[in-house]
């Protein structure tokens, strides 16, 4: 998606010259010739960058005053000031008013293009860093080689470059936001913004403003840019889309149809080019049947459905994912990375993970914080959180001198074998073949042993 640049100069020939240079390099341009046109054009649609003349003869405001208005409306948009009567004082004033750079006329096209490229890249990096800080260390890659993860990667690869709308479904904490981020990164819009809105986090009135912005039509016309406008040229993720109020659903449908909307209180039509990815933690069909979610909106969002698997559905990935999280969490928290013991891995694989990857990350952080001071000692199952241990297989929670120590050898061995094999069968999702390989038994022998102990697994191959 081409970056759009707003060119503001009272000399039309200069505007035409600059537009030609930029368009030859693949940029999209708009033009304004006085301060009123400049402010209206900026508020009509947020550009990627503004090239602004200092003097603007015959205008109500000069370029420095327009710069202050732009920065008041949206400080994230870079502005490059130009002037044919430049002085050091003018350049200093422009930079103090938060201009990205100052170029004196006449300028060389190479110089202009270099400044434009650097300004847009700097703005993109600031936006990305802000998003990363907001995410507080979230993961940026898909970890795991299970069949479900391979299918998910293939789906991302197929749809990322198409520009089609996508509906992501999956339980909370499974990684839907990460999938949206990866799709944006692999798309033709990767150079544009990625904006995320949690539809469940706002009241109905505030959500409209978050999505569509607002405009004080009776006052000074200052615009508040909403998510659709902020995502122009990029991607908008509507998280928990099932929580959209009925009235807002109708507005979203119109934006998807027309790629245009009116801000709250505004009279000017705002045109945008946005790819929408929606995400939901629940099945929307019952909501559609009950009239809570519009079927026509569902079909517009569900062009390509992608399901993100729960962590319990991909237990094979837990060892790799847990070790990856140990490295990431340790680096972020300034803690030493530790090895995870085999008993802890078995417990992690046996757990049902209602909170999915997000919960696993919290457990890993807990383990690193409460781990013994000996940095060489592995992280053991006995330091897992208390509520986690209540659900873990009992063989992983026995203490010395406990129940097994009170039994005769034959009974103790039978109790231990039952608990041990139950833990391993659970760990490998009921797969007898994989359990047998891990514990070092023939599959038929393990099957007989499980039957004698009253433990049941699925008789299937790897």
């Amino acid at each position: 998606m081409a970056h759009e640049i707003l060119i503001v100069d009272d000399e039309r020939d200069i505007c035409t010259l600059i537009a030609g240079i930029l368009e030859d390099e693949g940029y999209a341009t708009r033009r304004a010739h006085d301060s009123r046109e400049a402010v209206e054009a900026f508020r009509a649609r947020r550009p990627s960058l503004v090239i602004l003349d200092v003097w603007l003869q015959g205008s109500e405001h000069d370029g420095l005053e327009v710069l202050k208005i732009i920065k008041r409306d949206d400080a994230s948009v870079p502005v490059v000031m130009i002037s044919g009567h430049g002085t050091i004082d003018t350049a200093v004033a422009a930079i103090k008013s938060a201009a990205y750079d100052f170029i004196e006329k006449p300028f060389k096209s190479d110089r202009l293009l270099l400044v434009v490229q650097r300004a847009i890249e700097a703005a993109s990096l600031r936006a990305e860093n802000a998003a990363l800080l907001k995410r507080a260390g979230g993961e940026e890659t898909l970890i795991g080689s299970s069949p479900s993860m391979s299918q998910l990667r293939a789906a991302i690869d197929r749809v990322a470059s198409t520009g089609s709308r996508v509906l992501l479904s999956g339980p909370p904490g499974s990684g839907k936001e990460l999938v949206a981020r990866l799709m944006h990164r692999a798309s033709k819009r990767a150079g544009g913004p990625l904006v995320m809105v949690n539809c469940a986090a706002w009241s109905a009135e505030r959500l409209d403003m978050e999505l569509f912005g607002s405009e004080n039509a009776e006052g000074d016309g200052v615009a508040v840019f909403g998510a659709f406008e902020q995502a122009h040229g990029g991607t908008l993720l509507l998280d928990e889309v099932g929580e959209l109020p009925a009235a807002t659903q109708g507005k979203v449908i119109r934006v998807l149809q027309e790629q245009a909307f009116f801000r709250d209180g505004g009279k000017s039509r705002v045109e945008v080019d946005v790819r929408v990815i929606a995400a939901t933690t629940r099945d929307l069909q019952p909501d559609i049947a009950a009239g809570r979610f519009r079927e026509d909106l569902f079909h517009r969002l569900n062009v390509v459905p992608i399901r993100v698997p729960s962590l319990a559905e991909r237990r094979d990935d837990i060892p790799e994912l847990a070790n990856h999280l140990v490295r990431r969490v340790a680096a972020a928290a300034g803690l030493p990375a530790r090895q995870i013991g085999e008993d802890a891995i078995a417990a992690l694989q046996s757990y049902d993970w209602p909170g999915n990857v997000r919960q696993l990350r919290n457990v890993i952080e807990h383990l690193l914080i409460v781990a013994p001071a000996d940095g060489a000692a592995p992280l053991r199952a006995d330091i897992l959180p208390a509520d986690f241990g209540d659900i873990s297989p009992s063989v992983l929670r026995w203490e010395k001198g406990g129940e097994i120590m009170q039994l005769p050898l034959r009974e103790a061995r039978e109790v231990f074998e039952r608990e041990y094999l139950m833990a391993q069968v659970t760990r490998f999702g009921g797969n007898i073949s994989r359990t047998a390989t891990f514990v070092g038994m023939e599959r038929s022998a393990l099957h007989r042993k499980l039957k004698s102990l009253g433990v049941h697994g699925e008789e299937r191959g790897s």
Side-chain angles (χ1 to χ4, degrees):
M1 178 66 193
H3 289 286
E4 185 177 69
I5 298 174
L6 175 61
I7 306 165
V8 184
D9 198 303
D10 57 277
E11 297 184 65
R12 295 178 183 270
D13 289 346
I14 295 294
C15 278
T16 301
L17 173 64
I18 295 174
I21 293 171
L22 295 173
E23 289 168 3
D24 285 345
E25 295 299 315
Y27 295 103
T29 64
R30 286 186 289 148
R31 309 176 199 181
H33 303 295
D34 58 39
S35 61
R36 180 185 59 79
E37 289 182 0
V39 173
E40 288 179 354
F42 183 84
R43 290 173 175 170
R45 184 169 66 243
R46 175 184 176 276
S48 300
L49 178 138
V50 179
I51 296 176
L52 176 60
D53 184 33
V54 171
W55 296 106
L56 295 181
Q57 293 183 3
S59 293
E60 179 182 357
H61 303 292
D62 65 19
L64 293 177
E65 292 170 332
V66 173
L67 171 63
K68 292 177 182 178
I69 294 172
I70 289 174
K71 288 299 178 179
R72 182 187 64 189
D73 280 7
D74 191 340
S76 68
V77 177
V79 179
V80 175
M81 304 298 294
I82 58 175
S83 176
H85 310 281
T87 65
I88 292 178
D89 289 342
T90 304
V92 170
I95 300 303
K96 282 186 175 180
S97 297
Y100 176 80
D101 206 341
F102 180 93
I103 302 177
E104 188 175 0
K105 302 177 188 175
F107 48 78
K108 293 183 178 180
S109 59
D110 289 347
R111 160 73 171 156
L112 174 67
L113 290 172
L114 179 62
V115 171
V116 166
Q117 178 185 353
R118 287 180 173 174
I120 291 175
E121 288 177 350
S124 296
L125 284 173
R126 284 196 299 271
E128 184 175 348
N129 288 338
L132 288 173
L133 287 173
K134 186 176 180 180
R135 285 167 49 79
E139 301 308 315
E140 291 299 320
T141 57
L142 290 175
I143 303 298
S145 54
S146 63
S148 59
M149 291 305 287
S150 298
Q151 292 169 9
L152 180 57
R153 287 192 185 91
I156 293 172
D157 291 342
R158 283 195 306 271
V159 75
S161 62
T162 65
S164 298
R165 297 186 199 114
V166 177
L167 179 60
L168 301 173
S169 61
S174 56
K176 297 184 292 298
E177 180 182 322
L178 171 59
V179 171
R181 192 174 292 277
L182 294 176
M183 281 197 291
H184 172 73
R185 184 191 299 171
S187 74
K188 298 174 182 177
R189 298 171 177 265
L194 171 62
V195 179
M196 302 185 183
V197 176
N198 186 333
C199 301
W202 307 99
S203 65
E205 296 76 14
R206 183 58 189 271
L207 182 58
D208 271 12
M209 182 179 295
E210 289 294 318
L211 291 175
F212 307 110
S214 66
E215 187 174 319
N216 182 7
E218 301 302 325
D220 57 9
V222 174
V224 175
F225 297 115
F228 273 101
E229 205 162 348
Q230 294 170 28
H232 175 66
T235 305
L236 172 62
L237 171 63
L238 297 177
D239 197 9
E240 295 298 349
V241 70
E243 300 299 327
L244 281 174
T248 307
Q249 292 177 35
K251 295 180 181 180
V252 171
I253 289 174
R254 285 192 291 275
V255 178
L256 297 180
Q257 286 176 329
E258 304 173 10
Q259 289 284 286
F261 60 93
F262 291 88
R263 300 189 191 100
D264 183 25
K267 298 179 180 179
S268 300
R269 176 184 167 96
V270 180
E271 296 183 355
V272 292
D273 180 5
V274 177
R275 180 189 192 178
V276 173
I277 298 175
T280 178
T281 57
R282 66 174 189 261
D283 182 5
L284 294 178
Q285 291 299 332
D287 290 340
I288 293 173
R292 291 188 296 269
F293 197 85
R294 292 181 56 157
E295 187 171 11
D296 51 350
L297 176 57
F298 173 80
H299 290 307
R300 284 181 170 84
L301 296 174
N302 195 42
V303 176
V304 181
I306 294 179
R307 184 177 180 277
V308 182
S310 67
L311 189 55
E313 294 175 82
R314 54 186 190 103
R315 296 179 191 273
D316 291 353
D317 294 332
I318 289 177
E320 180 183 359
L321 181 57
N323 281 290
H324 173 78
L325 288 172
V326 164
R327 293 189 294 270
R328 291 296 298 267
V329 172
L335 298 169
R338 308 287 286 267
Q339 178 185 359
I340 305 179
E342 191 63 38
D343 60 336
I345 288 291
L348 295 177
Q349 286 186 293
S350 302
Y351 191 58
D352 285 337
W353 297 108
N356 293 287
V357 178
R358 186 182 299 131
Q359 184 185 9
L360 175 60
R361 187 192 186 284
N362 292 339
V363 169
I364 293 299
E365 185 173 3
H366 167 90
L367 290 176
L368 289 171
I369 291 172
V370 304
D374 181 5
L379 302 172
R380 314 301 312 192
D382 58 1
I383 61 171
L384 285 166
D387 56 341
F388 182 94
D390 291 341
I391 308 175
S392 299
S394 58
V395 69
L396 301 173
R397 305 196 306 272
W398 274 338
E399 299 177 358
K400 293 181 180 179
E403 174 189 351
I404 197 170
M405 302 302 293
Q406 303 175 24
L407 301 175
L409 175 59
R410 183 173 179 178
E411 293 181 27
R413 182 172 61 193
E414 182 176 315
V415 170
F416 177 82
E417 284 184 340
R418 178 184 295 109
E419 294 294 338
Y420 172 78
L421 292 177
M422 283 179 63
Q424 299 296 2
V425 169
T426 302
R427 175 185 184 181
F428 293 107
N431 190 309
I432 299 300
S433 296
R434 297 187 62 238
T435 304
T437 299
F438 181 82
V439 302
M441 295 178 66
E442 293 291 336
R443 188 174 72 168
S444 58
L446 176 59
H447 185 68
R448 289 193 298 271
K449 172 61 72 174
L450 293 173
K451 188 174 181 180
S452 69
L453 296 173
V455 179
H456 301 287
E458 298 180 21
E459 191 64 62
R460 53 189 173 92
S462 300

